[in-house]
Amino acid sequence: MEPFVRFDTLKEEQAVLRLDNVSKNFGGVVAASDICIQLFRGEVFGLIGPNGAGKTTLLNILGGMDALTEGRVILDGKEISGYNARQLTD
């Protein structure tokens, strides 16, 4: 009989989505600062916070609506930092 797969062993696989030190500034206003996230296949992830915490800004960066100021976004092993919405859908 096969043993159950332990959750912590799944972390050895490559993250589906990874944000490395992502930041976004609008002029002198810091909307998001130094965000680091790794999402793995099968995970459920919630993004919560108060008004003005940068939730929408982060989603706009991931969707190509806003360019990030610093950091990297990696999707399925490919860096997509700076891609616009059209490039993400091609």
Side-chain angles (χ1 to χ4, degrees):
M1 185 166 127
E2 288 284 322
F4 287 104
V5 175
R6 292 180 31 180
F7 181 74
D8 58 348
T9 62
L10 296 177
K11 297 297 183 194
E12 294 175 9
E13 69 183 75
Q14 186 176 12
V16 175
L17 177 66
R18 191 172 95 209
L19 283 69
D20 293 332
N21 306 101
V22 169
S23 298
K24 174 63 180 174
N25 299 340
F26 292 100
V29 177
V30 178
S33 177
D34 202 29
I35 299 170
C36 297
I37 298 172
Q38 289 189 47
L39 298 176
F40 296 88
R41 196 164 310 285
E43 282 188 324
V44 176
F45 183 83
L47 184 61
I48 62 171
N51 293 345
K55 301 176 301 291
T56 301
T57 299
L58 180 59
L59 293 175
N60 285 341
I61 289 169
L62 293 175
M65 302 302 288
D66 285 338
L68 51 84
T69 305
E70 291 181 16
R72 298 184 324 152
V73 178
I74 299 168
L75 180 64
D76 283 329
K78 179 179 181 183
E79 185 165 355
I80 61 166
S81 307
Y83 279 30
N84 63 36
R86 183 174 245 7
Q87 290 169 309
L88 290 171
T89 59
D90 287 340

